[in-house]
Amino acid sequence: MFYTVMNSSWGDFVKLHANVRCDNENASLLEDNSAATSIPVLYPINILTEGQENSTAYISFTSKGPKIHHVKHIYQVRIQPSVHDHNVPTLEALIGVPQPHSEGLITQKWSVQMEPPVICHKENLERSPSVTEQPCLPGALFHCPVVFKQEILIQVTGTVELVGEIKASSMFSLCSSLSVSFNSSKHFHLYGSNSSLAQVIMKVDIVYEKEMLYLYVLSSIAGLLLLLLIFLVLYKVGFFKRGLKEKMEATVDASNGSPGEDSGKPASEEEAVDPGCLDPLHKEDAQDGGGTI
């Protein structure tokens, strides 16, 4: 076990020599009990890469909607070098962009923007048809040099355009990725190289819409024909004639128990005469009959 001095300068390797001896060892058994080893001197760098929440996560295409969508995948890179070594190695950002759509229904154009602006080199990747079916495999790589800053924003912008005819609904993913690497034998990733990797996944929804105009037209025509048929049936049975209409109304009133127009008049004249008014006349007739001889 040994300790290092914080403010000391180091080479590329630390050489350790060890020798074991014993004072009472038999001279005939004395052998070379020394050993030497070299330990490389490495300085840690902490690189943390994250995809931002304001990246485009979903787009959709319909036959009547917009044909072009502009999308953004935003990454944040934070770099913390070692306190023991201020010589930061040359950093490179490797940005992967989606591969072309297998069905040729959409086209894509991608670019990379960094601050400060840098010139990126694009490398197209050739893949076999069986591999292209796997989601989120990059179709091209952008090699961009990174100017050291403690915090860097990298923006991957894309233009996705619908160029084919939608014949069925489908959904797939378009993915971009970012990794920050360095080519240095004196540095290593403090928390592993996976901490410098990030990915943004965007869902693309292709929506097939059926043509409903002809259904609306046929439904309207069928409704008009049905209405005309009902009108003809009512006309044939004489519903619109005045006499039949009055008879039907009278029948409805009778079934509901409503009295007619003449229900308030007496049925005959005899029923209209009050029987009490005839009593004096009967008495006079009786008296006259009794006094006549």
Side-chain angles (χ1 to χ4, degrees):
M1 181 181 294
F2 61 93
Y3 297 93
T4 60
V5 181
M6 298 295 292
N7 58 357
S8 62
S9 60
W10 298 87
D12 294 335
F13 294 91
V14 173
K15 295 183 179 181
L16 300 178
H17 297 273
N19 184 29
V20 178
R21 63 185 179 86
C22 182
D23 294 337
N24 60 354
E25 185 175 4
N26 190 345
S28 62
L29 301 176
L30 189 62
E31 296 181 359
D32 184 10
N33 290 328
S34 64
T37 185
S38 296
I39 300 176
V41 178
L42 301 178
Y43 298 96
I45 295 181
N46 183 17
I47 301 177
L48 180 62
T49 303
E50 294 178 329
Q52 299 299 288
E53 295 182 354
N54 55 347
S55 300
T56 306
Y58 175 83
I59 60 174
S60 64
F61 289 100
T62 61
S63 57
K64 298 180 180 179
K67 306 299 181 183
I68 299 177
H69 286 282
H70 300 282
V71 299
K72 294 181 180 181
H73 295 178
I74 303 174
Y75 296 90
Q76 182 187 49
V77 181
R78 285 178 289 182
I79 304 173
Q80 182 180 0
S82 172
V83 295
H84 308 298
D85 179 30
H86 299 287
N87 297 320
V88 180
T90 302
L91 303 174
E92 182 185 45
L94 192 63
I95 299 101
V97 296
Q99 55 189 340
H101 191 245
S102 58
E103 299 179 0
L105 190 60
I106 63 172
T107 59
Q108 315 164 41
K109 295 180 180 179
W110 298 92
S111 61
V112 178
Q113 298 178 0
M114 300 178 63
E115 189 64 35
V118 296
I119 299 176
C120 299
H121 169 67
K122 183 178 180 181
E123 176 188 2
N124 293 318
L125 302 178
E126 298 293 337
R127 300 191 182 277
S128 62
S130 59
V131 176
T132 55
E133 297 298 330
Q134 301 180 14
C136 290
L137 286 178
L141 294 175
F142 286 88
H143 299 264
C144 304
V146 177
V147 179
F148 171 71
K149 291 171 59 177
Q150 289 190 346
E151 185 173 318
I152 302 172
L153 287 179
I154 299 177
Q155 184 171 279
V156 183
T157 60
T159 301
V160 185
E161 182 178 1
L162 177 68
V163 295
E165 181 182 358
I166 301 177
K167 298 181 180 180
S169 297
S170 63
M171 178 177 285
F172 54 92
S173 300
L174 294 180
C175 310
S176 66
S177 61
L178 170 65
S179 65
V180 179
S181 61
F182 49 84
N183 185 13
S184 174
S185 59
K186 297 187 64 175
H187 298 83
F188 68 98
H189 289 278
L190 180 60
Y191 298 110
S193 58
N194 288 335
S195 63
S196 65
L197 302 176
Q199 186 180 64
V200 173
I201 301 176
M202 179 180 66
K203 295 293 184 180
V204 180
D205 194 5
I206 306 295
V207 182
Y208 174 70
E209 296 179 340
K210 294 183 178 180
E211 186 62 37
M212 303 298 292
L213 179 60
Y214 72 97
L215 291 179
Y216 299 148
V217 173
L218 291 178
S219 300
S220 301
I221 295 175
L224 292 175
L225 291 176
L226 181 60
L227 183 61
L228 180 60
L229 181 61
I230 296 174
F231 178 81
L232 291 176
V233 172
L234 294 177
Y235 181 78
K236 288 294 184 180
V237 299
F239 177 78
F240 298 103
K241 294 182 180 179
R242 184 174 182 83
L244 180 60
K245 185 177 180 182
E246 293 177 353
K247 289 180 181 180
M248 293 178 66
E249 291 178 353
T251 303
V252 173
D253 294 340
S255 62
N256 293 335
S258 301
E261 295 180 357
D262 299 335
S263 60
K265 297 182 180 179
S268 64
E269 295 181 0
E270 295 179 359
E271 294 177 358
V273 177
D274 188 1
C277 297
L278 300 178
D279 291 340
L281 295 177
H282 291 298
K283 291 180 180 180
E284 290 179 358
D285 292 342
Q287 293 176 358
D288 292 342
T292 302
I293 297 173

